[in-house]
Amino acid sequence: MNVIRLAAKEFFGMFVDDGSLALLALVLVAIIAAAVKLLALPPLLGGALLLVGCLAILLQSVRRAARGTNR
């Protein structure tokens, strides 16, 4: 069973290096898409919010990685 778990982890690691970065990005996209569809948010504003949100998530990920390498 450990071999299967290790293989799955390696396969996932080929595509996603930072799991929380990927998860937060997916959640952000889902929230913005729902806001545009359900709340009639203008698509241009939704795109701007998506850009700002992605930049904020990326900045958080970079800060977390920098803290981890300085220890």
Side-chain angles (χ1 to χ4, degrees):
M1 194 64 174
N2 280 340
V3 173
I4 295 172
R5 186 177 298 145
L6 180 62
K9 186 176 180 180
E10 288 296 320
F11 182 76
F12 183 73
M14 286 186 345
F15 300 103
V16 178
D17 186 38
D18 187 354
S20 81
L21 173 70
L23 181 64
L24 287 173
L26 288 174
V27 168
L28 177 67
V29 168
I31 289 171
I32 298 296
V36 168
K37 289 287 186 183
L38 301 175
L39 302 177
L41 185 72
L44 189 60
L45 181 57
L49 289 173
L50 188 60
L51 175 66
V52 169
C54 284
L55 290 174
I57 291 169
L58 185 60
L59 179 64
Q60 178 215 9
S61 178
V62 168
R63 284 183 177 169
R64 188 177 57 244
R67 279 195 317 259
T69 57
N70 288 337
R71 288 185 180 180

